[in-house]
């Protein structure tokens, strides 16, 4: 048996749904079911909303290796690319979902805004926004949108 593969769920009925519900105590904690898959192997089959069963990579080292492998595409328009929701075809929300050379071209255009010096200069303003978001969250059952932080960092005017 290959220690990289989680062979649990090899029958259609046994393949877990993805994404898994997150625990209410902390939305950033991985679900226990995902942690279990990670312990069993670096790759596991999951079932998406549309019934497809792609592989999920559960461990950091393997995710890093795949992200730099030119045989693997990040382009969400690639036929067979797994979609975690019905977002339609052709919608690019980020250059993260592009392959080189287009990914590299766009990354070069924005990387200057994220140098250590610039990020450190933005720290007080971002901290003030984060403190405001935390105060709003504590005062309201509905969390505020965090888009304004990225809008300020990138200089993009907020959409109305």
């Amino acid at each position: 048996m290959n220690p990289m593969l989680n062979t649990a769920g090899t029958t259609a009925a046994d393949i877990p749904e993805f994404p898994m519900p997150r625990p209410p105590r902390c939305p950033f904690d991985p679900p226990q079911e995902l942690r279990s898959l990670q312990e069993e192997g670096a790759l596991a089959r999951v079932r998406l909303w549309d019934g497809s069963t792609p592989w999920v990579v559960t461990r950091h080292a393997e995710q890093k290796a795949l992200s730099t492998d030119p045989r693997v595409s990040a382009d969400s328009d690639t036929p067979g690319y797994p979609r975690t929701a019905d977002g339609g075809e052709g919608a690019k929300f980020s250059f993260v979902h592009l392959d080189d050379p287009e990914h590299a071209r766009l990354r070069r255009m924005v990387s200057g805004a994220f140098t250590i010096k610039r990020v450190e200069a933005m720290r007080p303003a971002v901290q003030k926004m984060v403190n405001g978001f935390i105060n709003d969250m504590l005062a309201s059952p509905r969390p505020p949108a965090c888009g304004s932080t990225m809008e300020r960092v990138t200089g993009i005017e907020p959409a109305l």
Side-chain angles (χ1 to χ4, degrees):
M1 182 167 134
N2 185 338
M4 294 285 289
L5 295 179
N6 172 0
T7 56
T10 53
T11 66
D14 295 334
I15 298 174
E17 297 286 328
F18 190 87
M20 291 114 180
R22 293 189 176 272
R25 69 184 182 282
C26 180
F28 302 110
D29 266 348
Q32 184 55 47
E33 191 173 13
L34 186 58
R35 286 181 188 261
S36 296
L37 291 176
Q38 185 180 43
E39 290 169 8
E40 295 169 17
L43 300 170
R45 283 273 188 196
V46 292
R47 180 176 316 287
L48 298 183
W49 63 276
D50 62 356
S52 63
T53 56
W55 292 95
V56 66
V57 183
T58 64
R59 296 180 184 163
H60 178 74
E62 288 77 12
Q63 290 172 350
K64 187 174 179 181
L66 281 174
S67 71
T68 59
D69 188 324
R71 298 171 297 174
V72 177
S73 177
D75 189 340
S76 56
D77 285 339
T78 300
Y81 188 90
R83 298 186 185 284
T84 56
D86 185 12
E89 297 293 325
K92 295 281 191 238
F93 298 109
S94 168
F95 67 88
V96 172
H97 297 284
L98 295 172
D99 291 330
D100 282 335
E102 186 65 0
H103 172 90
R105 183 184 74 79
L106 294 173
R107 183 175 174 171
R108 281 191 301 272
M109 288 173 56
V110 299
S111 63
F114 296 98
T115 63
I116 292 171
K117 186 175 180 179
R118 287 213 178 148
V119 170
E120 283 299 320
M122 291 184 281
R123 183 183 295 272
V126 172
Q127 186 66 57
K128 184 176 179 181
M129 284 186 267
V130 169
N131 290 345
F133 292 146
I134 292 170
N135 290 338
D136 290 348
M137 285 176 17
L138 294 174
S140 169
R142 185 173 165 226
C146 294
S148 61
T149 303
M150 286 308 294
E151 289 161 356
R152 180 176 173 118
V153 167
T154 60
I156 296 171
E157 291 296 319
L160 297 177

